[in-house]
């Protein structure tokens, strides 16, 4: 810890007020989505620590829901009011600015604030909205409730509209500003306009190049300068702002880090060093906030919000449900303005919601394919950890499946085999990845998955004489090697052998099947769906677990495990792959190599209970309304949030990407400074590091697949 006794330098604003060039922020990490959560004592103590160290510039906002904590910290710290510079912002109650400032002052326990800002211009639907709001801000200043007034996140058109009728020029514009987001630099339209009208620049997220946007072109330069000045890279980032007379807003809950940041006031970089940071920083673009609303002509035009709605589509495999009977199609059609229309004569099997190039999701507004959006904004949307672990892609693929009859009997090859197959036949095996998956029932769901216990298989083959033809020898005791041989013999048997066996099995009394008498009902059903010559009927019924699940129950299918979904509506999520080997419940001409299939088989799970995937509580949930399905794999977990009318939930920021989708109900979704409608069928992509809150207007179920 630096243990410095320094005074933070100040900048004189256009109204004569002096503002400290470093401020202590109470948004971002301290933000509370729900004002009813009570006092955050950690923030109170952190703010008192900041005041003790000399951070007398405190930055709050009504939307952060942290003004009360700032007020308590000020009162308990006993710092004289004249030493303080307190900023707060209005947006939640922007339609009633006089009432908003009174509420803020009450929470802050102050008679006035030093700086009052309009938090963003994006509430306005016209220039008149901006102008009337600014008139109300001028009244706040005239009434002595704010010494200075300004704006935040304003672009040139917003400033121009405001200035047309302004009596008081905004003293400051607080914007996201760092070397990777320079708004065109000093000669760009925004900063040059601000300079012309003497509007100061205040930077939030000034440490982005050191924190959220690594790796980047500045890494080496920052490291060299930090070594030269015996400080941290964060202090170099702050000094870059100070040396340009830009007010820097930063935060931390750690006293040591806050103390070290003050070293940014103890040295000055050379003009050449400041310019070099700007030059190198201009090689990369990164915006962490307000992406969708802030395209004001930066050097890199392409920008994307960290939270955006997706549009998806369905495929038409023959095992899907027809028309509106398909939940996949019905949910897909709920997203507005996509042009997707349901044809009652067609089967709709799967709605894909990922960035895989086959059937890719697209941004609803942009129409751009998700894999392209992600590829252009990897660091922002995926985060460094996810990129390092999985590459520059979303590592999972969520789907909705609507199943009217059995899918092909299949396995998904493991990574080693997938890589070999992809190398040999990249058109058929389109990636080198494995594909373990989960399936969550949205209602009644029937599935064959994994092998039965060998004792149960042994019981069938001992009790049913028609099955003897598939045994490698008489009086055999089943183990995994015998099971593999039996599967191979069934799959390679002639159509006549398969047909004869099924006819003979149908004649055997039900009681001979023991506890597996469900085979008697399922056999004719499978024969009707495919044929009496399909070997998949025998492999599935005789050797595989049959499960009948209810809504909320789930299974996990590892790579190389045999499975075939039989009926129902499910949420499915898998590692990002489309590789599959089929051998049954399909025409023989469409089946893959039986030798390859059987050689790759895995024997875990090996009973029905091992197939099931339970849920548990999750630390991601702030209000206890969310559970997690956590399969034994690294690519993803799946959250499920269930809310009754009026209930709320907040999901803590996740260190990687997620895709969330509602399967029931409606409500509001708040994330990254925006409020979205969310209702049955709506799908959103959420970038790394974003907290998400829900409030249900009618019972709301939301699934959220994520990686980190």
């Amino acid at each position: 810890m630096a243990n410095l006794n320094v005074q933070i330098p100040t900048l004189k604003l256009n109204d004569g007020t002096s503002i400290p060039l470093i401020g202590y922020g109470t948004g971002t990490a301290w933000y509370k989505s729900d004002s009813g959560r009570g006092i955050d004592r950690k923030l109170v103590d952190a703010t008192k620590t900041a005041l003790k160290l000399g951070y007398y510039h405190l930055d709050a906002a009504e939307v952060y829901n942290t003004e009360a904590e700032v007020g308590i910290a000020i009162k308990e710290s006993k710092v004289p009011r004249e030493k303080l510079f307190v900023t707060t912002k209005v947006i939640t109650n922007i339609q009633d600015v006089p009432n908003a400032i009174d509420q803020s002052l009450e929470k802050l326990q102050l008679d006035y604030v030093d700086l009052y800002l309009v938090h963003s211009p994006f509430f306005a639907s016209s220039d008149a909205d901006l102008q009337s709001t600014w008139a109300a801000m001028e009244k706040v200043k005239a009434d002595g409730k704010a010494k200075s007034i300004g704006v935040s996140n304003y672009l040139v058109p917003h400033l121009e509209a405001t200035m047309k009728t302004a009596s008081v020029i905004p003293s400051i514009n607080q914007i996201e500003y760092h070397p990777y987001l320079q708004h065109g630099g000093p000669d760009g339209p925004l900063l040059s306009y601000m300079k012309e009208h003497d509007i100061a620049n205040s930077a939030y997220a000034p440490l982005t190049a050191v924190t959220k946007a690594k790796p980047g072109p500045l890494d080496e330069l920052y490291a060299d300068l930090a070594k030269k000045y015996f400080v941290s890279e964060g202090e170099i980032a702050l000094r870059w702002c100070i040396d340009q007379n830009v007010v820097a807003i930063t935060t931390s809950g750690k006293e040591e880090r806050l103390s070290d940041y003050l070293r940014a006031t103890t040295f000055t970089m050379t003009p050449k060093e400041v310019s070099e940071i700007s030059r190198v920083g201009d090689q990369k673009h990164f915006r962490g906030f307000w992406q969708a609303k802030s395209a004001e002509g930066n050097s890199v035009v392409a920008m994307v919000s960290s939270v955006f709605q997706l549009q998806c589509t369905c495929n038409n495999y023959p095992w899907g449900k027809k028309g509106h009977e398909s939940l996949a199609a019905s949910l897909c059609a709920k997203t507005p303005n996509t042009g997707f229309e349901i044809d009652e004569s067609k089967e709709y099997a799967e709605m894909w919601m990922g960035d895989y190039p086959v059937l890719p999701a697209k941004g609803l507004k942009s129409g751009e394919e998700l894999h392209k959006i992600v590829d252009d904004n990897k660091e922002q949307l995926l985060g460094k950890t996810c990129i390092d672990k999985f590459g520059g892609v979303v590592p999972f693929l969520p789907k909705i499946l609507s199943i009217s009859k059995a899918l092909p009997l299949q396995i998904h090859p493991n990574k080693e085999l997938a890589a070999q197959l992809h190398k040999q036949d990249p058109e058929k095996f389109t990636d080198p990845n494995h594909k373990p998956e989960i399936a969550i029932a949205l209602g009644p769901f029937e599935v064959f998955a994994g092998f039965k216990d060998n004792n149960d298989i042994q019981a069938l083959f001992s009790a049913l004489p028609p099955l003897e033809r598939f045994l490698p020898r008489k009086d055999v005791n089943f183990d995994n090697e015998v099971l593999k041989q039996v599967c191979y013999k069934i799959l390679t048997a002639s159509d006549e052998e398969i047909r004869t066996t099924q006819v003979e099995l149908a004649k055997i009394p039900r009681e001979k099947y023991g506890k597996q008498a469900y085979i008697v009902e399922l056999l004719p059903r499978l024969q009707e769906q495919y044929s009496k010559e399909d070997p998949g009927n025998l492999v599935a019924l005789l050797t595989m677990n049959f499960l009948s699940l209810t809504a909320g129950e789930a299974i996990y299918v590892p790579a190389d495990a045999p499975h075939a979904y039989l009926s129902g509506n499910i949420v499915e999520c898998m590692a990002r792959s489309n590789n599959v080997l089929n051998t049954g419940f399909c025409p023989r001409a469409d089946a893959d190599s039986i030798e390859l299939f059987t050689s790759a088989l895995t024997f875990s799970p090996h009973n029905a209970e091992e197939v099931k995937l339970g849920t548990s509580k999750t630390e991601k949930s702030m209000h206890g309304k969310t559970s997690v399905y956590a399969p034994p794999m690294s690519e993803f977990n799946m959250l499920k949030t269930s809310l009754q009318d009026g209930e709320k939930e907040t999901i803590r920021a996740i260190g990687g990407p997620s895709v969330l989708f509602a399967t029931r109900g409606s409500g509001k979704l708040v994330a990254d400074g925006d409020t979205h409608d969310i209702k049955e069928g709506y799908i959103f992509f959420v970038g790394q590091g974003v907290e998400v809150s829900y409030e249900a207007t009618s019972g709301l179920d939301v699934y959220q697949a994520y990686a980190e």
Side-chain angles (χ1 to χ4, degrees):
M1 192 162 70
N3 292 319
L4 299 175
N5 183 16
V6 298
Q7 185 170 348
I8 295 173
T10 61
L11 172 71
K12 186 166 285 191
L13 302 177
N14 60 21
D15 59 6
T17 302
S18 292
I19 182 173
L21 278 163
I22 301 179
Y24 181 73
T26 60
T28 318
W30 300 112
Y31 170 82
K32 294 189 300 183
S33 61
D34 183 358
S35 59
R37 280 168 51 191
I39 297 300
D40 183 350
R41 192 65 217 182
K42 289 183 179 179
L43 174 56
V44 173
D45 293 340
T47 306
K48 288 169 65 178
T49 297
L51 288 166
K52 179 184 71 173
L53 292 171
Y55 289 86
Y56 296 138
H57 177 184
L58 304 177
D59 185 271
E62 63 172 359
V63 75
Y64 300 161
N65 289 312
T66 56
E67 290 172 317
E69 283 84 351
V70 173
I72 293 169
I74 290 172
K75 185 174 182 180
E76 292 183 0
S77 69
K78 297 183 170 35
V79 175
R81 178 64 182 91
E82 61 270 17
K83 276 193 170 185
L84 297 173
F85 190 99
V86 180
T87 299
T88 196
K89 312 175 194 77
V90 57
I91 195 63
T92 307
N93 296 301
I94 195 68
Q95 305 302 327
D96 189 359
V97 171
N99 183 51
I101 184 62
D102 288 343
Q103 289 186 32
S104 290
L105 291 175
E106 182 179 353
K107 293 173 185 175
L108 291 164
Q109 303 183 54
L110 298 175
D111 297 324
Y112 67 92
V113 291
D114 298 272
L115 179 61
Y116 196 43
L117 304 179
V118 180
H119 204 152
S120 87
F122 306 123
F123 70 91
S125 58
S126 66
D127 288 357
D129 290 341
L130 295 169
Q131 292 160 359
S132 62
T133 296
W134 188 248
M137 295 289 287
E138 292 178 335
K139 181 69 164 52
V140 168
K141 178 177 171 66
D143 291 344
K145 295 179 181 179
K147 286 189 172 182
S148 299
I149 53 176
V151 297
S152 181
N153 298 299
Y154 272 46
L155 308 177
V156 172
H158 309 122
L159 291 171
E160 288 178 334
T162 300
M163 293 285 282
K164 285 179 182 177
T165 60
S167 299
V168 177
I169 297 174
S171 61
I172 203 164
N173 186 13
Q174 188 182 103
I175 57 177
E176 182 179 355
Y177 183 74
H178 46 77
Y180 293 153
L181 186 59
Q182 299 180 53
H183 305 272
D187 298 325
L190 179 61
L191 298 189
S192 61
Y193 185 94
M194 290 165 57
K195 183 178 181 181
E196 178 185 352
H197 295 279
D198 199 18
I199 300 171
N201 183 3
S202 177
Y204 64 83
L207 304 184
T208 294
V210 180
T211 54
K212 292 177 70 174
K214 277 195 168 185
L218 274 172
D219 295 354
E220 184 176 349
L221 179 57
Y222 267 1
D224 290 344
L225 289 171
K227 185 176 181 180
K228 173 182 175 180
Y229 289 106
F230 299 100
V231 295
S232 72
E233 294 178 20
E235 290 143 53
I236 295 296
L238 292 173
R239 190 69 221 185
W240 180 77
C241 290
I242 294 170
D243 282 335
Q244 298 177 87
N245 281 327
V246 174
V247 179
I249 308 299
T250 190
T251 194
S252 177
K254 298 180 179 179
E255 181 174 0
E256 180 178 1
R257 186 168 295 169
L258 287 174
S259 178
D260 289 348
Y261 285 164
L262 292 175
R263 291 186 301 206
T265 67
T266 65
F267 68 98
T268 301
M269 290 193 292
T270 68
K272 183 177 180 181
E273 290 167 341
V274 174
S275 296
E276 183 66 3
I277 290 175
S278 301
R279 184 192 69 79
V280 175
D282 202 40
Q283 297 172 14
K284 175 176 178 173
H285 176 80
F286 183 98
R287 179 186 284 277
F289 303 87
W290 301 104
Q291 295 91 339
K293 307 238 178 112
S294 302
E296 82 279 33
N298 291 292
S299 57
V300 178
V301 176
M303 289 184 290
V304 64
S305 172
S306 287
V307 180
F308 52 91
Q309 193 169 355
L310 297 174
Q311 57 175 304
C312 301
T313 191
C314 291
N315 54 30
N316 304 104
Y317 294 137
W319 50 261
K321 295 185 179 183
K322 277 194 172 181
H324 280 86
E325 293 180 1
S326 168
L327 180 64
S330 297
L331 292 177
C332 189
K334 298 284 187 181
T335 299
N337 305 318
T338 65
F340 180 83
E341 295 183 1
I342 298 175
D343 183 338
E344 296 298 335
S345 68
K346 289 184 177 181
E347 293 88 0
Y348 294 93
E350 302 173 320
M351 177 172 69
W352 290 29
M353 297 176 281
D355 72 338
Y356 201 82
V358 176
L359 212 67
K362 299 177 181 179
L364 178 60
K365 290 183 178 179
S366 68
E368 190 173 18
E369 293 184 354
L370 181 56
H371 64 88
K372 179 66 165 59
I373 298 173
V374 169
D375 191 55
D376 289 343
N377 303 273
K378 291 187 187 74
E379 293 87 352
Q380 173 195 335
L381 298 179
L382 303 181
K384 184 176 185 301
T385 300
C386 186
I387 292 171
D388 289 346
K389 286 176 70 175
F390 306 114
V393 297
V394 178
F396 54 82
L397 175 57
K399 303 178 183 180
I400 299 289
L401 272 62
S402 290
I403 307 154
S404 66
K405 65 178 184 178
L407 277 68
L409 177 61
Q410 60 190 251
I411 65 170
H412 301 304
N414 60 56
K415 280 189 175 181
E416 182 180 359
L417 179 57
Q420 294 174 7
L421 295 174
H422 176 65
K423 186 175 181 180
Q424 294 167 6
D425 189 354
E427 290 190 9
K428 179 177 174 61
F429 300 98
T430 52
D431 60 78
N433 200 17
H434 68 167
K435 191 182 172 185
E437 63 189 36
I438 67 171
I440 305 169
L442 293 173
F445 171 45
E446 296 176 307
V447 57
F448 295 106
F451 286 115
K452 299 176 183 179
D453 186 281
N454 282 333
N455 291 327
D456 291 335
I457 301 172
Q458 180 90 54
L460 287 174
F461 277 76
S462 298
L464 306 175
L467 302 182
E468 291 180 3
R469 58 173 57 94
F470 301 119
L471 293 174
R473 57 188 181 278
K474 289 186 177 181
D475 301 322
V476 69
N477 289 316
F478 267 80
D479 58 20
N480 292 341
E481 183 56 37
V482 170
L483 178 54
K484 182 181 290 188
Q485 294 177 39
V486 167
C487 288
Y488 181 82
K489 291 196 71 172
I490 294 173
L491 291 170
T492 55
S494 68
D495 287 354
E496 181 59 32
E497 284 181 293
I498 298 298
R499 180 182 181 85
T500 298
T501 302
Q502 293 189 46
V503 170
E504 292 172 348
L505 288 175
K507 296 177 181 178
I508 294 176
R510 180 186 181 90
E511 58 269 18
K512 290 288 186 178
Y513 288 85
K515 65 179 182 179
Q516 300 176 72
Y518 63 84
I519 294 173
V520 176
E521 284 80 30
L522 283 179
L523 179 57
R525 183 172 156 194
L526 293 176
Q527 290 171 341
E528 182 180 355
Q529 290 181 6
Y530 292 96
S531 72
K532 292 182 179 180
E533 291 80 25
D534 195 314
N537 298 345
L538 297 180
V539 172
L541 290 170
L542 302 175
T543 71
M544 294 172 62
N545 300 297
F546 172 69
L547 295 92
S548 184
L549 305 182
T550 58
E553 293 184 307
I555 62 169
Y556 168 64
V557 181
D560 297 335
H563 59 287
Y565 301 156
L566 184 55
S567 71
N569 295 310
I570 63 172
V571 171
E572 186 183 47
C573 194
M574 60 199 63
R576 187 182 188 271
S577 176
N578 196 32
N579 293 325
V580 62
L581 294 169
N582 297 324
T583 58
F585 301 148
C586 64
R588 286 191 184 259
D590 295 341
D592 291 296
S593 164
I594 295 170
E595 290 80 3
L596 183 61
F597 179 91
T598 53
S599 67
L601 286 173
T602 185
F603 298 95
S604 177
H606 218 324
N607 62 60
E609 289 305 310
E610 289 180 0
V611 176
K612 294 179 181 179
L613 177 67
T615 63
S616 59
K617 294 180 179 179
T618 172
E619 294 180 353
K620 305 294 185 190
S621 167
M622 288 191 182
H623 302 306
K625 304 295 184 181
T626 301
S627 56
V628 62
Y629 298 88
M633 54 186 290
S634 62
E635 283 84 355
F636 68 87
N637 288 337
M638 179 74 76
L639 301 176
K640 182 187 178 184
T641 300
S642 292
L643 302 177
Q644 301 303 313
D645 295 6
E647 289 186 335
K648 298 179 181 179
E649 174 65 296
T650 296
I651 305 299
R652 291 184 171 89
I654 292 170
S658 59
V659 173
L660 64 86
F661 46 96
T663 58
R664 179 183 71 98
S666 62
K668 297 293 184 183
L669 181 155
V670 180
D672 198 31
D674 275 338
T675 300
H676 307 267
D677 290 328
I678 183 168
K679 57 183 69 174
E680 181 179 295
Y682 281 25
I683 309 156
F684 290 85
F685 181 90
V686 180
Q688 57 87 24
V690 177
E691 184 178 274
V692 175
S693 295
Y694 308 109
E695 182 172 358
T697 52
S698 64
L700 183 64
D701 286 345
V702 180
Y703 291 85
Q704 183 171 355
Y706 73 90
E708 63 179 0

